[in-house]
């Protein structure tokens, strides 16, 4: 026991402190007296007491009073609530924030999700023939219509889509990739490592900033199975750079009977609502002749997590035939939400009702007015001060590197708390409000606030303001 190493007088002190720790039922009674309406379970109390006991045994002068223990229980409960999956208010201005769940779903996606989740469905049952059907059939025709591709397949996410394409088409053979496109996407997914993990060989060509069609041509050999192009989603090489045209790359691959695969990352289906200059849509990549194009469901598309593969029938069929597909398959809830999202694009509005698209394309004047109203309401009720300031939003989600989108925000300052302290309070509020700190103030970018969020922000700042 750690306490035995203390000198005798210190040892007595430790024993005395341990004795002063309240018993579990005493804490429970005191908690009930506070009438917070919140249940405190004995496990939490035991953990809190055990924590204090450890401190005491380590020789610390730990506060053993009932009040201190109750305080600890309160924060333990709050920490427990922080661990629960829950809605948060995104005031960061990052639209497709990977840590905040990327794209909020459109109304039709939610409706589809709900009807399928609550009961049985024809997930893998063909209602026309009464025989076994394919889960993929519910979205493939829609995807082909929207992108102009011959065939389509969906898996769990885009990382899985790339994995499946490489596994099915490259295997232990060689795949050619430009050195400038050997990217690591969030979460440590590195294309070279994935290829190696699958037993394949990566053939790097060109240099970091320049790769020409001749580099690809010279690299093609007996073992070559595919040419892979990867969208540089989360970084940008600028200056003296060059890459071959799509046409050149596609023609070269096809002349050698190889598939040209394009991991386009954040796939926007086709020209329309929001696609920044210089970015290619999936439909354009398909039209350019790529045999397979892979992209995420929850980036610019604005749907649920999914990996979408569209392209030429003969190559897509090879993916359908791979054993790995079973392990990467999309679940029925994501599938239902994806079908609903695609329906939004298929109707006359062309996807205008997709929340992520609305946020990305939001009218700056409207954002400014919204920030003005929010600042006014904050100043009216709370002790904090709020001012409208220009801000810079981002697409996020590794979607569009370095693309700053001019936005408007409310800069909030608290008379006593530092900006960091205020940010922490907002993060631990219910519902949590996630903000940025800039120039000594908390910034509330209004771009990603959903309906009703404004009032919740005002309520939170009012309450935090009162607490001082
Ligand atoms: C985001 C991204 C991925 C990974 O997509 P997930 O759907 O998150 O798995 C793969 N490749 C590129 C180029 C990306 O931008």
């Amino acid at each position: 026991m750690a306490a035995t190493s203390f000198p005798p007088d210190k040892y007595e002190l430790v024993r005395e402190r341990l004795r002063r720790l309240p018993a579990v039922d005493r804490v429970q009674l005191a908690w009930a007296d506070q009438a917070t309406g919140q249940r405190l379970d004995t496990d939490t109390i035991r953990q809190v007491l055990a924590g204090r006991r450890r401190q005491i045994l380590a020789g610390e002068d730990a506060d053993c009073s009932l009040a201190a223990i109750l305080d600890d229980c309160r924060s333990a409960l709050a920490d427990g609530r922080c661990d629960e999956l829950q809605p948060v208010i995104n005031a960061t201005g990052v639209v497709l924030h990977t840590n905040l769940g990327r794209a909020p779903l459109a109304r039709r996606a939610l409706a589809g999700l709900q009807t399928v989740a609550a009961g049985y469905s024809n997930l893998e049952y063909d209602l026309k023939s009464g025989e076994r059907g394919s889960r993929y059939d519910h979205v493939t025709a829609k995807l082909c219509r929207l992108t102009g591709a011959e065939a389509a397949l969906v898996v769990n996410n885009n990382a899985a889509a790339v994995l499946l394409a490489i596994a099915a088409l490259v295997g232990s053979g060689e795949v050619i990739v430009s050195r400038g496109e050997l990217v690591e996407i969030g979460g440590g997914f590195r294309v070279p490592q994935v290829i190696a993990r699958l037993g394949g060989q990566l053939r790097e060509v060109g240099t970091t900033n320049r790769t020409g069609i001749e580099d690809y041509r010279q690299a093609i050999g007996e073992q070559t199975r595919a040419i892979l192009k990867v969208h540089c989603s989360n970084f940008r090489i600028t200056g003296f750079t060059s890459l071959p045209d799509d046409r050149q790359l596609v023609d070269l691959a096809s002349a050698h009977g190889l598939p040209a695969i394009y991991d386009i990352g954040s796939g926007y289906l086709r020209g329309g609502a929001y696609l920044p200059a210089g970015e290619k849509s999936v439909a354009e990549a398909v039209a350019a002749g790529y045999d397979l194009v892979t992209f995420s469901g929850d980036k610019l598309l604005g749907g649920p997590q999914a990996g979408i593969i569209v392209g030429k029938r003969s190559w897509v069929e090879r993916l359908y035939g791979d054993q790995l597909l079973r392990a990467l398959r999309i679940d029925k809830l994501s599938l239902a939400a994806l079908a609903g999202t695609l329906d939004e694009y298929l109707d006359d509005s062309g996807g205008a009702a997709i929340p992520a698209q609305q946020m990305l394309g939001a009218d700056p004047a409207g954002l400014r007015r919204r920030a003005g109203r929010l600042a006014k309401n904050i100043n009216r009720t709370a002790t904090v001060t709020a001012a409208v300031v220009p801000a810079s939003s981002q697409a996020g989600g590794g979607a569009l590197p370095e693309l700053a989108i001019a936005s408007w925000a409310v800069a909030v300052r608290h008379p006593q708390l530092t900006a960091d302290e205020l940010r922490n309070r907002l993060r631990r509020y219910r519902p949590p409000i996630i903000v940025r700190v800039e120039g000594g103030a908390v910034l509330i970018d209004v771009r990603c606030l959903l309906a009703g969020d404004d009032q919740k922000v005002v309520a939170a700042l009012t309450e935090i303001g009162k607490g001082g």
Side-chain angles (χ1 to χ4, degrees):
M1 191 161 146
T4 50
S5 59
F6 289 116
D9 53 330
K10 194 89 189 249
Y11 182 72
E12 255 322 301
L13 197 62
V14 167
R15 280 183 49 150
E16 175 53 27
R17 284 184 187 141
L18 286 175
R19 218 175 295 125
R20 268 198 321 225
L21 272 180
V24 171
D25 48 356
R26 203 164 142 239
V27 177
Q28 214 157 24
L29 280 176
W31 182 270
D33 279 347
Q34 294 182 328
T36 58
Q38 211 182 24
R39 215 181 76 80
L40 177 65
D41 55 298
T42 49
D43 271 354
T44 303
I45 303 174
R46 286 208 178 89
Q47 274 163 23
V48 164
L49 290 173
R52 277 295 143 116
R53 223 169 274 126
R54 271 194 302 275
Q55 285 179 326
I56 295 168
L57 290 173
E60 285 175 40
D61 183 16
D63 187 347
C64 301
S65 68
L66 187 58
I69 300 300
L70 287 173
D71 261 354
D72 276 7
C73 289
R74 243 185 312 277
S75 6
L77 284 182
D79 284 350
R81 283 199 307 269
C82 284
D83 293 338
E84 283 164 18
L85 183 62
Q86 60 194 289
V88 305
I89 292 175
N90 178 6
T92 64
V94 182
V95 179
L96 300 164
H97 199 305
T98 298
N99 302 146
L100 304 184
R102 290 198 186 154
L105 294 181
R107 191 186 50 77
R108 240 188 272 206
L110 290 171
L113 181 68
Q114 206 157 27
T115 48
V116 165
Y120 299 102
S121 64
N122 61 337
L123 180 65
E124 292 191 344
Y125 186 71
D126 185 340
L127 295 173
K128 293 189 292 280
S129 66
E131 283 162 17
R132 186 180 175 159
S134 155
R135 70 178 58 217
Y136 305 107
D137 287 353
H138 305 294
V139 291
T140 48
K142 296 182 207 284
L143 283 167
C144 290
R145 259 182 72 192
L146 286 163
T147 62
E150 288 174 9
L153 172 59
V154 286
V155 288
N156 186 45
N157 57 15
N158 189 30
V162 175
L163 184 79
L164 180 64
I166 293 170
L169 305 183
V170 177
S172 60
E174 222 172 70
V175 54
I176 303 176
V177 188
S178 159
R179 285 206 169 83
E181 296 177 348
L182 291 172
V183 303
E184 171 175 332
I185 51 180
F189 186 85
R190 292 181 172 186
V191 168
Q193 265 88 333
V194 171
I195 294 165
R197 180 68 186 76
L198 292 168
Q201 308 291 318
L202 171 71
R203 185 68 192 268
E204 303 173 30
V205 295
T207 59
T208 304
N209 56 332
R210 289 175 78 86
T211 307
I213 193 66
E214 280 311 314
D215 295 318
Y216 285 94
R217 197 191 311 280
Q218 281 162 23
I220 294 177
E222 279 284 288
Q223 294 305 311
T224 310
R225 297 287 175 271
I227 294 178
L228 174 66
K229 183 176 170 62
V230 184
H231 188 280
C232 300
S233 298
N234 48 14
F235 72 105
R236 199 44 108 223
I237 299 171
T238 53
F240 186 55
T241 65
S242 77
L243 280 170
D245 287 346
D246 291 325
R247 196 71 255 166
Q248 290 178 306
L249 204 61
V250 161
D251 285 349
L252 178 69
S254 120
H256 291 83
L258 302 169
I261 306 169
Y262 189 3
D263 171 14
I264 204 169
S266 182
Y268 185 63
L269 290 172
R270 55 183 181 188
Y274 186 83
L275 187 69
E279 291 293 325
K280 200 175 270 112
S281 71
V282 176
E284 283 168 320
V286 168
Y290 283 98
D291 297 284
L292 293 177
V293 182
T294 76
F295 57 101
S296 296
D298 53 357
K299 291 188 184 170
L300 280 187
L301 184 68
Q305 180 185 310
I308 304 170
I309 304 155
V310 297
K312 307 249 169 76
R313 188 177 317 281
S314 57
W315 295 112
V316 175
E317 266 164 13
R318 294 266 297 272
L319 270 49
Y320 272 101
D322 196 283
Q323 277 296 316
L324 210 48
L325 176 58
R326 177 61 180 79
L328 305 176
R329 83 177 181 192
I330 187 166
D331 87 303
K332 64 176 180 180
L333 301 185
S334 308
L335 199 57
L338 180 60
T341 305
L342 296 176
D343 284 340
E344 293 281 11
Y345 283 102
L346 282 167
D347 81 7
D348 295 340
S349 74
I354 302 278
Q357 284 285 320
Q358 288 176 340
M359 289 171 184
L360 286 163
D363 162 39
L367 292 175
R368 187 177 194 167
R369 280 195 299 276
R370 189 171 185 183
R373 279 196 302 275
L374 180 59
K376 205 155 106 194
N377 287 330
I378 293 170
N379 283 326
R380 188 180 298 149
T381 57
T383 52
V384 297
T385 54
V388 177
V389 293
S392 178
S393 306
Q394 282 170 28
L400 307 157
E402 290 178 11
L403 180 76
I405 312 170
S407 188
W408 289 93
V410 177
V412 181
R413 287 185 167 79
H414 189 282
Q416 279 97 39
L417 301 176
T418 66
D420 283 349
E421 283 165 345
L422 183 56
R423 175 197 55 201
N424 296 347
R425 298 269 181 106
L426 287 165
R427 193 181 62 241
R428 294 181 69 107
Y429 189 77
R430 293 275 272 191
I433 300 167
I434 316 300
V435 299
R436 276 186 298 155
V437 167
E438 240 178 66
V442 155
L443 271 202
I444 297 173
D445 189 322
V446 296
R447 182 179 298 273
C448 306
L449 297 185
L450 300 171
D453 281 354
D454 308 59
Q455 292 92 306
K456 288 175 194 158
V457 168
V458 175
L461 287 169
T462 308
E463 197 175 317
I464 293 169
K466 264 191 276 177

